[in-house]
Amino acid sequence: MRELTLNISGGERPAYLRIADAMRAAIREGRARPGEAVPSTRAIAGRADCHRHTVMAALEELVAEGWLVARRGQAYRVSRELPERYFSPARDRLARPAARGAPWRFVREASEGPHAAAENFEYRFQSGLADLRMFPFAELRSHLSDVLRRRSPAALGYGDPAGHPRFIDALTVYLRRVRAVEPGGVVVTHGSQEAIFLIGQLLLAPGDRVAVERLGYRPAWDALATAGATLETVEIDEQGIDPESLERLCRRRRIRLLYVTPLHQYPTTATLPVARRMALYEVAARHGVPILEDDYDHEFHYRCEPLPPMAADDPAGIVLYVSTFSKVLYPSARLGFLAAPRVAADRLSKLRRILTRQSDSLLQEAVARWMEDGGVERHMRRMRRAYEQRRDAMALALEGHRAGGLELDWTVPDGGMALWLRIPGRSSAVARAAAAAGVYVQPEEAFQLSPRPGRHLRLGFANQSPSEIEAGLALLMAAAREAGRPKR
């Protein structure tokens, strides 16, 4: 075969690559079959209005890729190694099963992230999101510049999957001094979410049962369920998780892990009292249940100093403590960590080598320097003051709406970045009405394992100024009134 129509496109790509693209397309479409000769370089050059050397470069590109073969003194030919059935019209027969659905076997499923569409709203009562407008870019930039000026090849290469040694050292000092935690081992992760996922892969076999709070954080639940675990709910009340409910569950089922958020229960924000912490720990230790403690926003406690984590008093060595700097720095930094008994930390570090290998060493070293000079804690204090003011501004605005006749109920949280609000009517209906008005809010149903009608909204206050909070709440309360009106 010497005649062949080539549809050579225009564009900025070099001419030889555009000719190669056209030849590739002709072969895929079945216009040039395996074993057939392609037009001469002179013929193609004439049609493409280019030099023969350009055409030869295109054909040699295809030879290197395996589309064509070349023999001295002979025409270029389509490779006979290409399977005939792959090309049109046989290719059409291969594609037909797709009309009935591709033969995929999906064995894992996860829910959509809680904030997948939040960016599209004018007002976002998005829980757990810091106000990134307050971030001290210049401070972090100076530390990153210092690291880059050293031009250390080691900082750019592979390192310890557990994390950069300098950052681990700074983090260990911080945990001991600020959170009273003396970890056996520390592993730096891509946010606390990766730590939770890895713990599930490390400790859980398909069919194992994990105890979780009746209302909780779905991405963490998804990470544990992905390991094949069955989730069992434990009751909560206005003080947090109920140790007696866990005791009853442990008597009925073999529980392999307890996932809990004791400082600021997610989503209700309740702080678990000391007495309950002790009772919860005693139940878990007696039944041989490891505790996965998620301390996702430790820095933001307003009523008093935050209670030390359960990991700070762990005589049985059963607590796996995860936390994150995403609330202090910025979410895309993906700088979380696990503090755990050495035997668990070492095994998790080895497992992490398989999954993501390591985190960004440059960022870790820069943040370590920032921690060492006290800058991170100064930034935390600024944020804590601002967030406390925003919490109070939200409570004051809600008081005004309650005085205006809306049946609202809440407890001003001791800490955290959100408020748990009881409203009239179904929370999912209010959330939909609010969304139509440009306000993002999460209903109680979003925090349930088996969604059923709820009466609460989780209102994040950290990422909006007091004036933005007031304006957003006005629209939200109007939506609540609208959702509560009987349909005609």
Side-chain angles (χ1 to χ4, degrees):
M1 172 181 178
R2 303 309 296 272
E3 293 296 325
L4 180 64
T5 300
L6 295 177
N7 300 315
I8 303 172
S9 63
E12 297 180 356
R13 280 162 59 83
Y16 82 98
L17 291 179
R18 289 187 277 116
I19 294 170
D21 291 342
M23 183 66 71
R24 228 182 266 112
I27 297 172
R28 283 186 179 278
E29 293 164 8
R31 292 184 284 114
R33 300 291 183 85
E36 293 180 341
V38 303
S40 67
T41 56
R42 188 183 302 277
I44 297 174
R47 293 178 184 176
D49 191 23
C50 65
H51 198 280
R52 284 182 61 195
H53 288 170
T54 302
V55 177
M56 291 179 66
L59 300 183
E60 288 299 324
E61 183 81 10
L62 296 172
V63 170
E65 293 176 4
W67 293 94
L68 302 180
V69 294
R71 292 184 176 85
R72 185 181 296 274
Q74 297 183 20
Y76 288 90
R77 292 181 178 274
V78 180
S79 172
R80 294 183 185 276
E81 299 295 321
L82 298 174
E84 181 81 32
R85 64 182 178 276
Y86 185 78
F87 304 98
S88 298
R91 182 181 175 86
D92 295 337
R93 292 194 295 273
L94 289 175
R96 283 173 193 162
R100 302 190 299 270
W104 301 110
R105 178 174 177 259
F106 297 113
V107 297
R108 299 284 184 273
E109 191 64 59
S111 61
E112 184 175 299
H115 309 311
E119 296 293 334
N120 301 324
F121 291 86
E122 182 177 3
Y123 298 101
R124 294 182 291 157
F125 293 103
Q126 188 171 343
S127 60
L129 180 64
D131 190 341
L132 302 180
R133 295 169 297 189
M134 296 176 61
F135 186 75
F137 293 94
E139 288 188 43
L140 180 58
R141 183 173 62 245
S142 67
H143 292 291
L144 282 168
S145 297
D146 286 344
V147 174
L148 291 170
R149 270 196 295 268
R150 293 186 304 107
R151 299 182 182 179
S152 170
L156 303 179
Y158 289 117
D160 188 341
H164 191 287
R166 186 167 181 174
F167 180 64
I168 289 180
D169 288 345
L171 184 58
T172 301
V173 171
Y174 172 77
L175 288 174
R176 172 178 52 78
R177 190 169 52 81
V178 177
R179 303 193 188 184
V181 174
E182 292 273 9
V186 172
V187 180
V188 182
T189 58
H190 290 294
S192 57
Q193 185 69 19
E194 185 190 37
I196 295 168
F197 177 84
L198 286 170
I199 288 167
Q201 299 298 311
L202 182 67
L203 297 183
L204 301 174
D208 282 350
R209 296 180 184 276
V210 175
V212 300
E213 295 153 312
R214 181 177 60 81
L215 297 175
Y217 185 53
R218 290 201 65 89
W221 292 351
D222 286 343
L224 299 172
T226 297
T230 299
L231 305 185
E232 301 276 358
T233 56
V234 180
E235 288 302 312
I236 61 172
D237 58 23
E238 67 280 357
Q239 291 187 313
I241 190 169
D242 179 9
E244 292 184 2
S245 178
L246 178 64
E247 173 68 37
R248 292 191 295 270
L249 176 61
C250 289
R251 288 176 179 175
R252 296 195 321 268
R253 305 286 193 188
R254 178 67 175 98
I255 302 300
R256 295 289 183 180
L257 184 68
L258 167 64
Y259 171 73
V260 66
T261 52
L263 183 60
H264 304 134
Q265 199 281 328
Y266 196 97
T268 68
T269 74
T271 296
L272 194 66
V274 170
R276 280 204 179 185
R277 290 173 183 237
M278 293 177 176
L280 188 71
Y281 187 92
E282 191 274 332
V283 171
R286 181 158 37 83
H287 288 279
V289 179
I291 298 172
L292 173 49
E293 179 180 13
D294 188 353
D295 194 6
Y296 58 93
D297 60 359
H298 182 94
E299 295 76 17
F300 306 121
H301 202 77
Y302 317 116
R303 182 180 178 186
C304 59
E305 287 297 311
L307 287 173
M310 296 180 71
D313 185 15
D314 181 22
I318 60 173
V319 180
L320 303 161
Y321 178 73
V322 300
S323 189
T324 178
F325 280 157
S326 295
K327 312 295 187 293
V328 176
L329 301 179
Y330 49 91
S332 65
R334 307 313 303 138
L335 203 55
F337 59 89
L338 163 86
R342 173 63 64 182
V343 63
D346 287 348
R347 287 176 177 266
L348 190 133
S349 177
K350 292 176 183 177
L351 184 62
R352 185 168 192 259
R353 186 187 297 270
I354 300 172
L355 181 64
T356 56
R357 185 55 175 79
Q358 68 185 78
S359 299
D360 184 346
S361 294
L362 288 175
L363 179 61
Q364 288 180 71
E365 184 169 352
V367 173
R369 289 166 173 258
W370 196 13
M371 294 174 73
E372 291 162 0
D373 77 1
V376 170
E377 291 185 49
R378 288 193 297 272
H379 178 50
M380 287 179 187
R381 288 193 291 271
R382 288 192 295 268
M383 295 170 73
R384 184 161 54 243
R385 287 193 295 269
Y387 294 170
E388 183 176 9
Q389 292 171 358
R390 295 174 184 195
R391 178 203 63 173
D392 296 344
M394 175 174 281
L396 183 62
L398 289 173
E399 287 284 4
H401 290 290
R402 182 161 60 184
L406 269 176
E407 296 179 10
L408 304 175
D409 190 33
W410 70 93
T411 298
V412 176
D414 292 344
M417 304 168 73
L419 181 147
W420 189 240
L421 176 70
R422 182 176 173 84
I423 57 171
R426 186 169 178 175
S427 57
S428 59
V430 173
R432 286 194 297 270
V439 179
Y440 174 85
V441 66
Q442 287 181 276
E444 183 175 340
E445 289 88 334
F447 310 105
Q448 299 172 356
L449 194 58
S450 300
R452 58 187 181 213
R455 297 283 301 277
H456 292 86
L457 301 173
R458 180 171 164 91
L459 301 181
F461 51 75
N463 65 306
Q464 299 183 106
S465 68
S467 61
E468 290 169 333
I469 289 171
E470 291 173 12
L473 280 179
L475 292 173
L476 176 59
M477 295 302 112
R481 289 188 175 89
E482 180 65 29
R485 290 195 181 101
K487 304 296 181 184
R488 293 185 178 181

